[in-house]
Amino acid sequence: MINIRKLSVFFVALGLLAEASSSCGAEAYPSRAVRIVVAYAAGGGNDLVARILAKHLSEKYDRTFLVDNRPGASGILGTELVARSTPDGYTLILSDAPHVTNPYVYPNVQYDPIKDFSPVVKVGSAPVALTIYPKAPFQTLTEFVAQAKSQPGRITMGSGGTGTVSHFAGELFQLRTGIKLIHVPYKGNGPALADVVSGQILCIFTPVAAALPLVSTGRMRVLAISSAKRSPAVPDAPTFEEAGIADYRVANWYGILSPAGTPKAVVAQLNKEILAGLQTPYVKERFETSMIDPGSGSPEQFTEFMKAEVKRWSTLIKTVGIKVE
């Protein structure tokens, strides 16, 4: 006759043994190399931030965190690649502000900026500066706006391309001030900056760090920056708010995303370690040099931040009519 009680005890013990065996056999993350995709060419802001984080994480885990540059279509190709990748934490992307706006600017984008990703952490943000040709006939932001109003459509504004942060910054500025500038898109901020230096165009809204070498040598001037307070790198330049432009906050943010469905434990672990890395002397020094404000927050907070960004910039895109056919 079968002893039901003994049989029950046997199956409970068997279950516990199987669970323990499974736990012992599970590999701790990361057990192999991790790829951090950068959807732009090497040398830009995304590439810089990704390599800083990759060095910290490689040393922390004693595993290779490899930066993989996949440029093309304003960051869309690399982003789509990550969206289709296995959601196991071994393929990440160092995204930026255009991540949430590209689907509203470009046709046939094959990813949803929120639904197709598991946000890990907001890594940092970099303010933009309104920089101008040094011989331009205005010394302050007030004078710049006054001349633009008196000569609508005469002042040329460069950008790194349609739908980039520099483009959106310029469009938002026009809405806030009621002026009209001539937008001249380039294939990247570098060529646009070169043409401001030579006087081919008069201004560009660019990350502060990109302008510093040119400003320090007198080849460009800064009229205002989009941060909450003045930058020690350009202490004479007021914030837009100080210069009389209310509600003008623009920054290129950076964040780590993984494909949707990545295990929550892996996301939480990466969030914790990256935030810890942002407080190390190595990362802090390099972020400070590059004028990047360190990020913070949980994966959930990063998700809500991106949703707010989608709402904010999609409204601007519809209002202005920004579209690449």
Side-chain angles (χ1 to χ4, degrees):
M1 183 176 181
I2 298 175
N3 188 316
I4 301 299
R5 182 179 178 183
K6 289 183 178 180
L7 191 61
S8 299
V9 170
F10 170 77
F11 279 117
V12 169
L14 188 64
L16 291 173
L17 181 63
E19 183 177 343
S21 175
S22 175
S23 299
C24 291
E27 293 182 323
Y29 175 87
S31 61
R32 52 187 169 86
V34 177
R35 175 172 60 159
I36 303 177
V37 171
V38 171
Y40 303 95
N46 290 54
D47 185 66
L48 170 71
V49 173
R51 291 181 188 280
I52 292 172
L53 293 181
K55 184 176 186 300
H56 165 74
L57 292 171
S58 296
E59 292 176 351
K60 166 64 181 180
Y61 287 114
D62 195 25
R63 289 284 186 270
T64 299
F65 279 72
L66 175 69
V67 175
D68 182 8
N69 296 91
R70 294 297 184 101
S74 297
I76 295 170
L77 295 183
T79 305
E80 289 179 345
L81 181 152
V82 174
R84 297 191 300 265
S85 297
T86 304
D88 55 8
Y90 289 92
T91 299
L92 311 171
I93 184 168
L94 193 289
S95 63
D96 62 354
H99 172 81
V100 300
T101 56
N102 277 340
Y104 297 90
V105 175
Y106 291 87
N108 304 317
V109 173
Q110 302 299 309
Y111 71 85
D112 182 287
I114 306 299
K115 296 178 182 179
D116 290 336
F117 297 88
S118 292
V120 175
V121 64
K122 182 183 176 185
V123 174
S125 61
V128 301
L130 171 52
T131 57
I132 64 170
Y133 175 55
K135 297 180 181 179
F138 24 78
Q139 299 299 315
T140 66
L141 189 64
T142 301
E143 292 177 3
F144 176 88
V145 172
Q147 180 154 335
K149 285 184 176 180
S150 67
Q151 297 179 319
R154 295 289 298 277
I155 295 178
T156 47
M157 173 195 80
S159 79
T162 300
T164 59
V165 172
S166 56
H167 180 202
F168 286 139
E171 295 292 351
L172 181 62
F173 182 76
Q174 292 177 77
L175 287 179
R176 292 283 184 269
T177 58
I179 65 175
K180 180 60 180 176
L181 306 174
I182 299 176
H183 176 222
V184 183
Y186 288 77
K187 293 182 177 180
N189 266 17
L193 287 167
D195 273 5
V196 174
V197 170
S198 66
Q200 298 299 310
I201 55 176
L202 283 181
C203 71
I204 182 174
F205 292 78
T206 183
V208 179
L212 284 180
L214 300 170
V215 173
S216 63
T217 54
R219 289 178 288 171
M220 292 181 73
R221 287 193 288 120
V222 176
L223 290 184
I225 61 174
S226 66
S227 53
K229 58 184 180 180
R230 294 196 182 204
S231 166
V234 280
D236 294 332
T239 66
F240 282 93
E241 187 171 353
E242 285 180 315
I245 311 299
D247 192 26
Y248 187 84
R249 288 289 185 84
V250 183
N252 188 28
W253 54 264
Y254 304 101
I256 290 289
L257 306 173
S258 58
T262 300
K264 290 184 177 180
V266 171
V267 170
Q269 182 178 337
L270 283 168
N271 174 275
K272 179 181 178 181
E273 190 49 53
I274 290 172
L275 288 179
L278 296 180
Q279 301 305 313
T280 62
Y282 168 78
V283 176
K284 290 175 71 173
E285 179 183 343
R286 280 150 186 79
F287 271 31
E288 184 176 340
T289 301
S290 302
M291 297 296 299
I292 298 171
D293 297 322
S296 63
S298 66
E300 292 75 21
Q301 288 173 317
F302 187 25
T303 300
E304 293 306 310
F305 168 79
M306 288 203 302
K307 288 180 178 178
E309 287 285 281
V310 167
K311 183 177 180 180
R312 179 190 187 196
W313 294 114
S314 63
T315 300
L316 174 75
I317 290 166
K318 292 175 184 177
T319 300
V320 178
I322 301 171
K323 200 73 175 176
V324 174
E325 300 298 338

